[in-house]
Amino acid sequence: MLNKYARAFFTRVLTPFATFLIRRGVSPDTVTLIGTAGVVAGALVFYPRGEFFWGTVVITLFVFSDLVDGNMARQLGRSSRWGAFLDSTLDRVADGAIFGGFALWYAGNGNDNVLCAVSIFCLASGQVVSYTKARGESIGLPVAVNGLVERAERLVISLVAAGFAGLHKFGVPGIQWLLPIALWIVAAGSLVTLIQRVVTVRRESAEAEAAAAAAQGSEAPQ
């Protein structure tokens, strides 16, 4: 849902900025690299110290590069396999840094091994959810399912919760529990999404093999 509606809205909003960067000679790949570097820095510098509000502000400023670089590529007519590969690969790096930052906090001053484990599960399951779709498509299957919690949902839920949880340091009471709740939601949603995709790939694989067998049988000499 977020991919369908929010992405379209922000793409329209960010188009003038993308046009400005093109006029200044900035390439889409440069935006991708800078955006990822900013997200990684925001996550690994602020989150392990429990600075969730400012970390989220920094990450949010850079995470929109994921929309800007694609917009620039379309305007330039340079959409390429390399650009798609680079963008997808660095998305995984950024996601890993965000949930890795949460894990470092809970392993250190956050002093909560359970939430550290949940953060690591969110990190790993998010990577595997992406892999299942990519791997299914690489063997010729459509993988015609998105799932309950995709990357956009994982980021929005986690970052919004982290940003509000960071207000605890500004004197807002009880709000720090939003982040643990969000991590549990993302973990559960990622698990459901993973199961949905695995089941879909299994079904599509069986259908493809049955169709191939039927076609081979029909071509056999009578």
Side-chain angles (χ1 to χ4, degrees), residues 2 6 38 77 90 102 154 205:
L2 285 172
L90 293 184
F102 293 146
R154 291 197 301 271
S205 177

Side-chain angles (χ1 to χ4, degrees), residues 38-158:
V39 171
V40 170
L44 297 183
V45 171
F46 291 95
Y47 283 175
R49 297 187 298 168
E51 297 288 346
F52 294 120
F53 177 79
W54 292 115
T56 301
V57 169
V58 172
I59 291 170
T60 301
L61 290 175
F62 284 99
V63 81
F64 283 107
S65 66
D66 189 46
L67 299 178
V68 174
D69 56 6
N71 191 308
M72 293 172 66
R74 286 189 293 274
Q75 289 191 47
L76 291 169
R78 294 182 186 174
S79 297
S80 64
R81 291 183 177 88
W82 161 249
F85 170 82
L86 180 66
D87 188 60
S88 179
T89 300
L90 293 184
D91 281 349
R92 307 288 84 76
V93 173
D95 293 357
I98 290 170
F99 289 104
F102 293 146
L104 287 172
W105 162 250
Y106 287 117
N109 292 333
N111 193 29
D112 193 318
N113 289 336
V114 172
L115 287 175
C116 175
V118 173
S119 299
I120 293 172
F121 179 82
C122 290
L123 190 163
S125 61
Q127 309 293 327
V128 177
V129 163
S130 298
Y131 173 79
T132 52
K133 188 172 183 66
R135 181 58 177 146
E137 291 174 343
S138 74
I139 58 176
L141 299 175
V143 194
V145 62
N146 290 322
L148 182 64
V149 176
E150 294 185 274
R151 182 175 186 256
E153 285 82 6
R154 291 197 301 271
L155 285 181
V156 169
I157 293 170
S158 302

Side-chain angles (χ1 to χ4, degrees), residues 8 28-29 34 36 61 93 97-98 107-108 116 121-122 151 163 166 185 196 207-208 215 218 222:
D29 288 351
I34 292 175
T36 302
L61 290 175
V93 173
I98 290 170
C116 175
F121 179 82
C122 290
R151 182 175 186 256
I185 291 173
Q196 288 176 307
E207 291 173 351
S218 65
Q222 300 298 323

Side-chain angles (χ1 to χ4, degrees), residues 189-214:
S190 296
L191 179 59
V192 171
T193 303
L194 177 58
I195 293 172
Q196 288 176 307
R197 290 192 174 179
V198 169
V199 169
T200 298
V201 169
R202 188 177 189 278
R203 174 178 54 78
E204 291 178 348
S205 177
E207 291 173 351
E209 290 173 0

Side-chain angles (χ1 to χ4, degrees), residues 21 184 205:
L21 293 177
W184 279 106
S205 177

